[in-house]
């Protein structure tokens, strides 16, 4: 079944229910329904109430229940090396193995996403689709052929850089805004040949522009905001957004503090960034990449204390992003927990977005982009 058929069936069911309720009920104002597909272009599947290395955690019954309650269909999960002192290649291979074991241990709940059709299958079978993704390409070392190996292991999204520069190009915090390197171009060529998404979320401006032009396939910015609204390095300029869209790419807006000048995210801020991205890119190229999960915080005071320490550690390690401060939460408190997508849907409807547009933003645009890069 195609995404169009799924959407048509859902809309027909809504219309039929309204007709049975009678003309008066049909004319009443109602909130937009939940989309058939909800795809988080960058997020998580963990419990933030449990401390420790996320790579060592199991997928609990609560995590699965919260994800299902939210309506989530699929999520791009970061695995492997992002920053720190670990050996990037070894760490990444080890974590892919952990995720393979998690999926094997919950076959009725989780499914590995290798192409766009797998996302539709996840929806039909009421399973959560897991897209294997990287947020740094440092695990390539100096060997672009490692892309082939990671693609064979099921990795479907690779972000070229994290915040600092690496051997491929400049990150958003790299001094001097360096561009894509020769090795970066070699890696992009391998990514294209293996039908792996090229993600420029944490890149600097010049590396993003260079990569969008170098790639033979459309590229993505899976989780970012709009610099025209909040001038922080982690947000993307209109020039970057427009070029990605013009070349058939995808832009996911995050539920992160960087959508607000004071680094305290509100739901209204997220909607404003979605709205701006739609105006720049068009409604067929914008989605969500929340950079978070669907399980809420049980003890917010304790969590804030934990985050103050983590922000200090990130800055000491040189990987903190401009705009982070001791009061920064790595999510939008108003759009957290299992109800986050329902709240966003209501706000987009109040902003004047039709159900069709909301369908695109919450999932269909990413599925269509996946079909372009990965295949059906």
């Amino acid at each position: 079944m195609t995404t169009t058929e799924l959407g048509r069936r859902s809309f027909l069911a809504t219309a039929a229910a309204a007709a049975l309720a009678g003309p008066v009920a049909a004319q009443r104002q109602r909130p937009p329904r939940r989309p058939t597909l909800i795809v988080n272009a960058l997020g998580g599947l963990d419990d933030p109430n449990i401390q420790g290395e996320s790579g060592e955690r199991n997928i609990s019954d609560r995590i699965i229940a919260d994800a299902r309650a939210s309506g989530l269909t699929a999520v791009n999960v970061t695995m492997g090396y992002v920053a720190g002192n670990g050996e990037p290649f070894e760490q990444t291979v080890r974590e892919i193995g952990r995720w393979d074991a998690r999926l094997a241990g919950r076959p009725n709940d989780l499914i590995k996403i290798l192409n766009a059709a797998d996302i539709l299958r996840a929806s039909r079978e009421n399973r959560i689709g897991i897209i294997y993704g990287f947020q740094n390409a440092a695990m390539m070392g100096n060997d672009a052929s490692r892309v082939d190996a990671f693609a064979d292991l099921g990795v479907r999204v690779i972000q070229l850089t994290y915040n600092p520069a690496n051997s491929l190009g400049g990150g958003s915090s790299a001094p001097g805004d360096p561009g894509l390197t020769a090795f970066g171009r070699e890696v992009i060529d391998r990514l294209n040949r293996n039908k792996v998404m090229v993600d420029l979320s944490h890149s600097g401006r010049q590396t993003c522009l260079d990569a969008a032009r170098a790639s033979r396939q459309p590229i993505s910015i899976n989780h970012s905001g709009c610099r025209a609204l909040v001038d922080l390095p982690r947000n993307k300029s209109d020039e970057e957004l427009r070029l990605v869209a013009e070349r058939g790419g995808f832009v996911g807006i995050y539920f992160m503090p960087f959508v607000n000048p004071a680094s305290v995210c509100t739901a209204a801020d997220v909607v404003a960034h979605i709205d701006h991205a739609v105006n720049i890119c068009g409604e067929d190229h914008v989605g969500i990449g929340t950079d978070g999960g669907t399980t809420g915080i049980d003890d917010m005071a304790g969590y804030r204390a934990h985050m103050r320490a983590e922000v200090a550690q990130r800055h000491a390690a040189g990987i903190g992003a401009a705009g982070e401060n001791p009061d920064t939460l790595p999510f939008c408190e108003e759009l957290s927990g299992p109800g986050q997508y329902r709240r966003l849907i209501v706000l987009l409807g109040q902003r004047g977005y039709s159900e069709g547009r909301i369908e695109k933003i919450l999932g269909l645009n990413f599925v269509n982009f996946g079909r372009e890069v990965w295949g059906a």
Side-chain angles (χ1 to χ4, degrees), residues 59-71:
I59 305 297
S60 69
D61 290 343
R62 176 183 177 178
I63 290 170
I64 296 295
D66 288 342
R68 283 200 169 113
S70 76

Side-chain angles (χ1 to χ4, degrees), residues 92-343:
T92 301
V93 172
R94 185 168 58 245
E95 191 163 350
I96 290 172
R98 289 196 193 106
W99 271 99
D100 282 346
R102 288 180 182 128
L103 269 64
R106 301 200 73 127
N108 297 323
D109 300 318
L110 305 174
I111 179 174
K112 190 174 186 176
I113 301 299
L114 299 177
N115 53 43
D118 285 339
I119 298 179
L120 305 186
R121 180 183 172 195
S123 178
R124 289 194 307 271
E125 298 178 357
N126 191 32
R127 292 196 278 173
I128 308 299
I130 305 299
I131 304 165
Y132 285 19
F134 296 167
Q135 280 204 71
N136 195 335
M139 66 285 294
M140 302 305 162
N142 59 5
D143 183 1
S145 71
R146 288 182 177 180
V147 171
D148 305 356
F150 286 123
D152 288 343
L153 290 171
V155 177
R156 288 297 178 264
V157 181
I158 294 183
Q159 183 175 283
L160 298 189
T161 72
Y162 195 56
N163 292 332
N166 64 16
S167 61
L168 288 83
S172 61
S173 64
D177 190 26
L180 190 68
T181 67
F183 182 61
R185 293 177 189 277
E186 188 180 351
V187 169
I188 288 175
D189 179 65
R190 287 277 185 168
L191 293 171
N192 288 168
R193 280 193 265 166
N194 282 279
K195 298 183 178 180
V196 175
M197 287 183 185
V198 179
D199 182 11
L200 279 301
S201 295
H202 278 257
S203 73
R205 171 187 163 278
Q206 192 58 55
T207 291
C208 181
L209 296 174
D210 291 346
R213 295 180 179 119
S215 178
R216 299 186 303 277
Q217 295 178 337
I219 65 103
S220 63
I221 299 169
N222 280 353
H223 62 298
S224 190
C226 305
R227 192 175 293 192
L229 300 186
V230 179
D231 188 11
L232 288 172
R234 268 292 284 115
N235 294 332
K236 294 298 184 181
S237 67
D238 287 356
E239 181 184 17
E240 293 166 90
L241 298 174
R242 187 175 292 110
L243 180 61
V244 168
E246 286 175 351
R247 298 181 71 87
F250 171 87
V251 173
I253 299 299
Y254 49 24
F255 298 2
M256 287 288 281
F258 312 115
V259 297
N260 181 287
S263 293
V264 180
C265 171
T266 70
D269 294 323
V270 173
V271 171
H273 282 254
I274 290 174
D275 202 44
H276 182 82
V278 168
N279 289 335
I280 296 299
C281 301
E283 65 181 57
D284 294 326
H285 300 280
V286 177
I288 54 169
T290 71
D291 210 355
T294 51
T295 295
I297 305 295
D298 297 333
D299 176 11
M300 186 58 73
Y303 188 80
R304 285 183 179 278
H306 166 73
M307 283 311 303
R308 281 193 288 271
E310 183 168 313
V311 167
Q313 290 172 358
R314 283 171 55 82
H315 279 288
I319 61 171
E324 288 182 348
N325 61 63
D327 295 320
T328 297
L329 292 175
F331 56 85
C332 179
E333 191 170 358
E334 295 177 355
L335 294 175
S336 60
Q340 59 188 269
Y341 301 126
R342 290 190 294 276
R343 289 191 286 273

Side-chain angles (χ1 to χ4, degrees), residues 68-83:
R68 283 200 169 113
S70 76
L72 181 69
T73 307
V75 55
N76 169 22
V77 175
T78 299
M79 47 193 71
Y81 179 86
V82 176

